[in-house]
Amino acid sequence: MNTLVTPHTYSRLARLSDYLWHHPKQVLIAMLVLPVLWLGVVYLGSLATLLIQSFFSIDEFSGLIKHEWTLKTYQELFVPANLDIILRTVLMAALVTIASAILAFPIAYYATRYAKGVWKALFYIGIMLPLWSSYLVKIYAWKLILAREGILNWLFTSLHLDGLLNVYLALPVVGGSSLSVSYTGTFLVFVYVWLPFMILPLQAALERVPSSLLEASADLGASAWQTFRHVLLPLALPGLIAGSIFTFSLTLGDYIIPQIIGSSRLFIGQAVYMQQGTAGNIPLAAAFSVVPIVIMGIYLWLAKRAGAFNAL
Amino acid sequence: MHSKAPWSLKIAAGLGLAFLHLPILLIFVYAFTTEEKSYQWPPPDFTLKWFGVAWERSDVWEALTLSVKVASISTLIALVLGTLCAAAVSRTRFFGRETISLLVILPIALPGIITGIALRSAFNLAEIPFSFWTIVLGHATFCIVVVYNNAVARFRRLSGSLIEASMDLGANSFQTFRYVILPNIATALLAGGMLAFALSFDEVIVTTFTAGQQSTLPIWMLEELVRPRQRPVTNVVAVMVVLMTLLPIIAAYYLTRDGEHSAGQGK
């Protein structure tokens, strides 16, 4: 027996402490009960009530929800207009993800391999600041940039490139009456806002690549491109996948960016918002929100198999 | 051997960083413009007037106060729940451990609109009226993951032998927690808390579904974005929001960076 422990200090608290030490399972349960109640009951419960509503339908005459099990609402998703919304959103999410990956790679690679000392800190803050800066402020900045009287048009005009911009705007699909009401504008803002979410996991993955591997590849006669293609890229892949989870999922569900900068054609998020708000069709809104859940479910399952969660 | 970075890489990285930062810097210029009807570039002239105008606006102050209150309480809840989860997941291996970490990540892995609409329909179903607390409920849910991530990373580095040593030297569980575990995880919790605060302070998507008639600062901004009425005031508020988020982020960086040298790391 430890001589320091007098009977006096061996209090109720100490007895409780001993009890806890001998009953790790109870401690574990006590620790988990609150978070699991919150996330498991409140959050998953809410998700479940939403999902259940997607199996109800709306009465076309009264506009009230019919509480009968049906797949009718899901069939509505496959109406051409709604299918368009889904395909448009998925395509946009894919393009945004690819563009983010291309932009993110040099930043992440430079930050992990070449930035030293002060520069490393600057790079880190240089990535964290845009990540944590206000989402709306970032969109607002692009509203300023893309405005007709804004800096981008001014830049093109002062460089006498406004003809080029007009040719681009005259293109079908990507063009529009101005950049701020075109798909190009929406795309730019999406890439800008989600780019840091790609850089960080990529950086985490690249940090684990030993530089000796790259040197060995070069010593064995591989060109810079071959080293990148056959050594660096496969090792960075989990990071790229982890980043793509963010960029893809965030683009799928966003309804504010396309509402503020973009053409009036809808994305999934906007459709959900409209259906639950002005249209008052909760079942269809619920069915629409199941689409990103299913897509992300498949995506996460594939990512897990590729070992991407270790890079998060 | 450390070769120098190729020029192409330097340029690509530099351009990428410029792309990330220039748009935000642009807002700073706009905050001083004398032009109030359009987003004209270059600004015709500069003035400090709008800072005074924004300062006098009671709707901005009300939105700011609500945002700070919501963010503080959500952060507190997230700190408790996130730390508990992190401690449980990192100190023991148990059945359903993977499920718990998935459950924590889910609120940010799923698009915000789904969290928002799910909570809204649950509130409707349970006939809970929208209030301050419905906003907090939504915010705390997605803030847990930030605290959790920070805490889990630190718990992993915290060597188990430190805790055993404390117990061997006669400390009980509570003393070990107070004098050994807490000092070691404190900076990670502070960093996680600051990031949670920043996340909540900025959140708009879930909030539009759970706020009812009240407006937090992001909701105020959103209304200005959709229907611009007060362009100069919005510019000033945007600059203030950037500056307000800047400080906690830099602080969080320094806190977690020092934590890399936490005790018991040399295993």
Side-chain angles (χ1 to χ4, degrees), chain A residues 176-254:
Chain A
S177 65
S178 92
L179 275 178
S180 57
V181 292
S182 69
Y183 281 135
T184 312
T186 319
F187 169 79
L188 276 174
V189 181
F190 270 135
V191 172
Y192 176 73
V193 174
W194 309 139
L195 181 58
F197 291 90
M198 177 62 90
I199 299 175
L200 283 179
L202 190 56
Q203 215 177 340
L206 285 174
E207 235 146 46
R208 276 181 235 169
V209 180
S211 54
S212 56
L213 268 184
L214 304 177
E215 283 154 21
S217 166
D219 288 347
L220 292 168
S223 69
W225 168 253
Q226 284 172 319
T227 303
F228 171 76
R229 173 69 192 78
H230 298 288
V231 182
L232 194 55
L233 197 60
L235 289 170
L237 201 63
L240 277 174
I241 295 174
S244 75
I245 293 171
F246 290 112
T247 55
F248 203 83
S249 154
L250 290 166
T251 313
L252 274 188
D254 196 278

Side-chain angles (χ1 to χ4, degrees), chain A residues 143-156:
Chain A
K143 201 175 162 110
L144 300 175
I145 293 170
L146 297 175
R148 210 185 287 271
E149 67 277 15
I151 187 167
L152 206 64
N153 263 325
W154 172 82
L155 205 69
F156 274 106

Side-chain angles (χ1 to χ4, degrees), chain B residues 60 66 81 101 225 239 253:
Chain B
V60 174
L66 181 64
L81 298 184
S101 31
L225 271 169
V239 165
Y253 168 68

